[in-house]
């Protein structure tokens, strides 16, 4: 199998001031590659390593003997912000659980400011995200965002606090226009009927200059649905949003046209992606890679439905049901989205023709994952184009893509969240673990390679992002509610030696 023929980014890339750019021209994928799945000893069956060489167990620089990851030679890392440990600035507060989406900004002085989602799913009245009661959106919800100021000189967190609290299931998010803050997203539509004090399913802004917990205010015009991630067009301020309604349910790709990109609270218009001349298209499988598809956008009449009915039935009121009725396209579990220079890359966790063995309640057999690319139109009335950029031919190549980012050299780095219950894959670098998760690189020439293997646990990897200067990669081990099960890592090394 020649994975170099399977897709991807043929244009150049550059990084300036923390903004990552990439131009993509995609070629076709060899559909015959899906016929077999090679042993999971590397992403590319030809042994391609992205220029970094083979992986081997590496101990954390601040915890000798603790070999959390396998990495290429020359790379090192530190860990911090472990679930349940005291926070630096206020030891009476504990680091919350469920580390998920994240972004890196210029921080005060020499620091890098991290905004880290806490995807706390605890029952009403419980939860692990502390902070002042006066700033909570919902006093019965225990999720939110942690802000950590990391000093790359000492490789330590020097300041941390709760950025937003009283939210629920803060999964991923994205960077607001002109890096004004972090848009954190709730992956739930829970509400008072479920025992919570207020409706959930919204996007919230964490201002990047905040020095204390911000009052959480929902951006209701951006929709009430199971949000996953967002990405902002740096030219126009248009916000693109992914939805993960769960396996066996339709999920859409949306855009928000703000009245004022600098003040999203002023409202705007929410729309769902639809294929021109092909209303209600199911894109979960049987798609031709590399072919551009013209797009039109359909308005969502009621972006804040109440009550929310998830079933795709006549008269259903959910955002996706409205969009599907209007002709929107259907994906399976859209997760990460990241802005490149003139396009956006989107992960569908379990789309694709190579099946992982799990079958959803609606009869859809899950795939190993897809990466889509959307290119906006150049003028009003031009809806842009969409194409399938990459489709995994098997779990050894890419298994369940989730969060993703564009590297300083313009290639993709993808977090795996292998939630499959059938294939039970293992990895020689993670002995004793089943359903192992990795960071997978995807190059401009279309080759995949392993950059990191999680040998600490079977937890998903999340929140991968590079520092503004491109010298540090941050990534989360999601973990559980158990102390020490989740953490953030900062990885440094000879980046220029390879393609990231």
């Amino acid at each position: 199998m020649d994975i170099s023929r399977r897709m991807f980014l043929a244009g150049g890339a550059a990084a300036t001031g923390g903004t990552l750019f990439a131009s993509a021209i995609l070629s076709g994928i060899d559909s015959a590659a899906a016929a077999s799945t090679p042993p999971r000893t590397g992403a590319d069956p030809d042994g391609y390593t992205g220029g970094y060489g083979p992986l081997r167990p590496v101990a954390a620089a601040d915890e000798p003997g603790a070999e959390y990851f396998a990495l290429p030679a020359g790379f090192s890392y530190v860990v911090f912000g472990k679930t349940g440990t005291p926070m630096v600035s206020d030891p009476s507060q504990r680091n919350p659980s469920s580390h998920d989406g994240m972004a890196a900004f210029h921080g005060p002085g020499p620091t890098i400011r991290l905004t880290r989602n806490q995807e706390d799913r605890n029952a009403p009245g419980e939860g692990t995200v502390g902070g002042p009661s006066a700033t909570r959106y919902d006093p019965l919800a225990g999720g939110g965002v942690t802000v950590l100021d990391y000093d790359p000189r000492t490789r330590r967190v020097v300041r941390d606090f709760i950025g937003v609290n009283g939210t629920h299931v803060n999964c991923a998010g994205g960077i607001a226009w002109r890096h004004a803050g972090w848009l954190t997203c709730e992956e739930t539509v829970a509400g008072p009927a479920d025992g919570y004090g207020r409706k959930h399913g919204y996007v919230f802004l964490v201002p990047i200059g905040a020095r204390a917990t911000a009052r959480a205010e929902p951006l209701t015009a951006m929709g009430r649905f199971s949000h996953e991630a967002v990405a902002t067009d740096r030219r126009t301020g248009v916000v693109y949003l992914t939805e993960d309604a769960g396996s066996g349910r339709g999920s859409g790709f949306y855009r928000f046209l703000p009245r004022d990109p600098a003040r999203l609270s002023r409202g705007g218009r929410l729309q769902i992606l639809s294929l021109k001349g092909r209303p209600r298209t199911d894109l979960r499988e049987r798609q031709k890679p590399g072919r551009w598809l013209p797009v039109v956008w359909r308005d969502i009449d009621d972006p804040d439905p109440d009550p929310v009915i998830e079933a795709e039935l006549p008269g259903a009121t959910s955002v996706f049901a409205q969009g599907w009725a209007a002709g929107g396209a259907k994906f399976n579990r859209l997760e990460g989205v990241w802005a490149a220079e003139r396009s956006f890359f989107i992960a569908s966790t379990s789309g694709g023709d190579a099946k992982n063995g799990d079958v959803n309640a609606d009869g859809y057999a899950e795939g190993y994952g897809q990466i889509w690319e959307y290119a906006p139109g150049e003028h009003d009335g031009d809806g842009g184009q969409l194409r399938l950029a990459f489709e995994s031919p098997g779990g050894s190549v890419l298994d369940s893509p989730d969060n993703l980012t564009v590297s300083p050299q313009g290639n993709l780095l993808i977090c795996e969240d292998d939630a499959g219950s059938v294939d039970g894959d293992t990895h020689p670098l993670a002995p004793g673990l089943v359903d192992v998760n990795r960071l997978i690189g995807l190059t401009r020439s279309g080759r995949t390679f392993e950059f990191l293997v999680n040998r600490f646990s079977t937890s998903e990897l999340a929140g991968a992002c590079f520092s503004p200067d491109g010298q540090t990669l941050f990534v989360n081990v999601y973990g559980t509610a158990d102390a020490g099960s989740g953490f953030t890592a900062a990885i440094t090394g000879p980046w220029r030696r390879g393609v990231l």
Side-chain angles (χ1 to χ4, degrees):
M1 293 184 295
D2 181 6
I3 296 182
S4 66
R5 292 188 292 118
R6 287 197 191 116
M7 55 129 304
F8 199 63
L9 299 154
T16 304
T19 303
L20 301 174
F21 307 109
S23 174
I25 300 175
L26 307 178
S27 59
I29 298 175
D30 184 357
S31 60
S36 62
T37 301
R40 199 172 191 199
T41 56
D44 190 317
D46 297 327
Y48 178 65
T49 66
Y52 295 110
L55 309 188
R56 81 277 190 270
V58 177
D62 52 342
E63 294 186 39
E67 296 178 338
Y68 295 118
F69 299 143
L71 285 163
F75 285 88
S76 67
Y77 63 96
V78 295
V79 301
F80 51 87
K82 288 185 177 181
T83 300
T85 60
M87 296 181 68
V88 171
S89 298
D90 182 0
S92 68
Q93 298 275 350
R94 299 278 171 171
N95 274 283
S97 71
S98 312
H99 303 348
D100 209 301
M102 186 165 63
F105 301 81
H106 289 288
T111 67
I112 300 163
R113 172 155 287 190
L114 298 174
T115 51
R116 186 183 68 191
N117 272 13
Q118 312 296 159
E119 196 188 46
D120 194 304
R121 294 177 177 268
N122 279 319
E126 301 179 9
T128 60
V129 177
S133 58
T135 58
R136 288 183 175 274
Y137 166 68
D138 181 350
L140 297 179
V145 175
T146 305
V147 177
L148 308 98
D149 291 337
Y150 173 83
D151 189 335
R153 302 168 305 175
T154 62
R155 305 184 81 179
R156 293 182 178 180
V157 173
V158 297
R159 184 184 307 105
D160 54 10
F161 58 92
I162 301 301
V164 158
N165 60 356
T167 52
H168 188 45
V169 195
N170 295 70
C171 191
I175 298 171
W177 195 50
R178 296 179 175 173
H179 287 221
W182 169 247
L183 294 168
T184 181
C185 300
E186 294 184 310
E187 190 193 9
T188 180
V189 288
D194 307 291
Y196 294 93
R198 301 183 70 177
K199 295 193 301 182
H200 293 274
Y202 300 117
V203 179
F204 298 78
L205 175 67
V206 183
I208 200 55
R211 295 184 176 274
T213 309
R215 183 178 296 278
E217 298 291 346
L219 299 168
T220 57
M222 296 180 76
R224 183 188 181 202
F225 56 88
S226 293
H227 286 275
E228 183 68 30
V230 304
T232 305
D233 190 317
R234 65 186 181 88
R235 298 167 297 164
T236 65
V238 172
V239 183
Y240 294 90
L241 310 97
T242 58
E243 177 181 23
D244 180 6
S247 298
R249 296 178 177 176
S251 292
F253 183 58
Y254 304 90
R255 73 176 183 181
F256 179 66
L257 305 174
R259 292 192 181 96
D260 181 352
R263 302 184 70 177
L264 296 176
S265 60
R266 290 188 171 180
R269 190 153 45 117
L270 184 68
Q271 299 179 318
I272 191 169
L273 178 143
S274 176
L275 298 187
K276 188 175 183 179
R278 296 173 57 188
R280 291 179 290 281
T281 304
D282 188 338
L283 297 172
R284 296 179 296 180
E285 57 189 353
R286 296 189 295 275
Q287 300 304 305
K288 183 179 179 180
R291 178 179 61 183
W292 283 113
L293 305 170
V295 165
V296 293
W297 293 90
R298 304 299 185 190
D299 286 346
I300 302 297
D301 292 332
D302 181 8
D304 187 15
D306 183 23
V308 171
I309 301 173
E310 290 294 337
E312 298 165 29
L313 300 172
T317 60
S318 74
V319 166
F320 177 76
Q322 294 176 61
W324 181 253
K330 178 191 295 187
F331 300 84
N332 198 73
R333 296 195 58 204
L334 288 187
E335 302 260 5
V337 57
W338 198 271
E341 182 180 14
R342 295 187 180 276
S343 62
F344 296 80
F345 293 97
I346 310 148
S348 171
T349 290
S350 47
D353 291 343
K355 303 303 184 180
N356 66 19
D358 287 329
V359 179
N360 299 161
D362 69 346
Y364 170 72
E366 292 187 353
Y368 280 103
Q370 301 166 321
I371 303 296
W372 292 86
E373 180 190 16
Y374 169 71
E378 294 298 324
H379 55 80
D380 290 345
D382 179 358
Q385 300 180 88
L386 175 77
R387 63 175 161 182
L388 179 60
F390 179 81
E391 185 167 288
S392 177
S396 66
V397 175
L398 177 65
D399 192 345
S400 308
D402 195 314
N403 294 167
L404 53 76
T405 190
V406 179
S407 78
Q409 296 188 60
N411 298 300
L412 289 188
L413 191 61
I414 304 167
C415 299
E416 287 187 329
D417 178 11
D418 181 3
S421 62
V422 175
D423 57 358
D425 53 90
T426 59
H427 197 290
L429 288 172
L433 299 181
V434 177
D435 293 329
V436 175
N437 287 298
R438 306 166 294 171
L439 291 182
I440 297 294
L442 187 56
T443 72
R444 293 192 299 267
S445 62
R447 306 197 75 167
T448 56
F449 63 96
E450 292 179 341
F451 177 75
L452 178 152
V453 174
N454 178 8
R455 48 185 282 117
F456 171 67
S457 70
T458 59
S459 173
E460 70 177 276
L461 297 165
C465 57
F466 284 89
S467 59
D469 65 3
Q471 297 303 303
T472 305
L473 170 68
F474 298 96
V475 67
N476 291 324
V477 170
Y478 182 94
T480 65
D482 296 335
S485 62
F487 57 82
T488 302
I491 303 168
T492 55
W495 296 110
R496 299 296 299 181
R497 190 176 74 197
V499 301
L500 297 175

